[in-house]
């Protein structure tokens, strides 16, 4: 089963479009195949899988790990999300820029986010279940974040109502207020 890979405007962030076989019984999709994804430029060794469920309007993020940065391969198993990657690698030519994709159970698309990026998403459907593969283990002591509504980043989040945020995400700093040593380095 082929996979199409579409580069985004930020080097390293890739929209993955696996082939979906559909018939009267439902569908089948291969969500990851190491050799095929490596041929598309995604060569991570994934070590942890995560699954979350969120209600309409929930916005999670923008999150990253500093000392143990995670690459992520994100897809939406149920519902629909607006998924965002923000380049926060100090010294990167695309520092502070963002890329996004609508991921849904209908389109079966995935977003690959390299290490050194902040990640977040907003739920567009009544409920959404998100699954993502990570290249490094989650470390609570390494957990960092940025304001979802940082005007300097300028993410245009869809939605007609204010987002539902965790207490942690309500108080994250603006990118300009994060000391440079608290940002991943561009390599």
């Amino acid at each position: 089963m082929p996979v199409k890979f579409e580069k985004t405007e930020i080097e390293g962030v890739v929209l993955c479009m696996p082939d979906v076989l559909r018939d009267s019984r439902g569908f089948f999709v291969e969500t990851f195949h190491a050799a095929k994804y490596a041929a598309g430029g995604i060569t991570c060794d994934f070590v942890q899988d995560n699954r979350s469920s969120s209600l309409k309007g929930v916005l999670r993020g923008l999150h990253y790990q500093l000392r143990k940065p995670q690459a992520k391969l994100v897809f939406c198993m149920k519902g629909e999300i607006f998924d965002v990657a923000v380049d926060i690698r100090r010294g990167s030519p695309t520092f502070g820029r963002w890329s996004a994709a609508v991921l849904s159970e209908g389109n079966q698309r995935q977003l690959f986010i390299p290490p050194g990026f902040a990640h977040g998403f907003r739920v567009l459907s009544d409920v959404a279940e998100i699954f993502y593969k990570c290249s490094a283990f989650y470390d609570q002591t390494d957990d960092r974040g940025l304001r979802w509504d940082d005007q300097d980043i300028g993410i245009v989040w869809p939605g007609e109502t204010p987002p539902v945020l965790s207490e942690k995400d309500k108080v994250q700093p603006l990118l300009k207020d994060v000391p440079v040593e608290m940002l991943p380095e561009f390599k």
Side-chain angles (χ1 to χ4, degrees):
M1 294 177 55
V3 182
K4 294 177 187 165
F5 299 96
E6 184 177 298
K7 293 181 179 182
T8 67
E9 59 277 0
I10 299 178
E11 182 68 32
V13 179
V14 179
L15 184 63
C16 309
M17 296 165 281
D19 195 25
V20 181
L21 301 175
R22 298 178 192 274
D23 64 23
S24 61
R25 301 168 297 161
F27 71 89
F28 175 84
V29 63
E30 195 173 73
T31 59
F32 181 73
H33 185 290
K36 292 176 186 178
Y37 280 65
I42 299 170
T43 57
C44 291
D45 289 327
F46 292 110
V47 298
Q48 180 176 323
D49 289 347
N50 299 321
R51 181 177 175 189
S52 72
S53 179
S54 300
L55 300 175
K56 185 172 189 162
V58 166
L59 192 151
R60 295 183 186 264
L62 302 162
H63 303 144
Y64 68 99
Q65 289 189 172
L66 177 62
R67 294 180 307 278
K68 302 171 189 170
Q70 297 175 306
K72 296 178 179 175
L73 181 62
V74 183
F75 64 98
C76 186
M77 297 171 55
K78 178 180 181 181
E80 183 175 70
I81 63 170
F82 182 75
D83 201 48
V84 177
V86 180
D87 187 351
I88 58 168
R89 301 168 298 169
R90 59 185 167 174
S92 168
T94 54
F95 179 81
R97 290 185 41 205
W98 60 278
S99 184
V102 173
L103 308 179
S104 72
E105 69 181 306
N107 68 26
Q108 294 291 317
R109 292 179 173 191
Q110 304 166 334
L111 191 63
F112 175 74
I113 303 166
F117 282 68
H119 172 247
F121 64 86
R122 182 163 187 180
V123 178
L124 305 177
S125 53
D126 288 338
V127 70
E129 291 184 17
I130 298 88
F131 183 90
Y132 53 103
K133 302 181 89 48
C134 299
S135 65
F137 296 112
Y138 173 73
D139 181 347
Q140 187 175 6
T141 65
D142 200 27
D143 191 28
R144 305 282 187 275
L146 299 172
R147 285 281 304 224
W148 66 276
D149 60 350
D150 187 326
Q151 293 300 307
D152 290 340
I153 297 172
I155 299 169
V156 181
W157 295 98
E160 300 166 6
T161 60
V164 178
L165 302 165
S166 70
E167 291 305 312
K168 177 179 88 171
D169 288 342
K170 288 178 183 177
V171 297
Q172 296 287 10
L174 299 171
L175 181 56
K176 68 182 178 185
D177 295 333
V178 176
V180 68
E181 65 273 6
M182 299 305 284
L183 295 171
E185 190 174 347
F186 178 69
K187 296 176 183 178

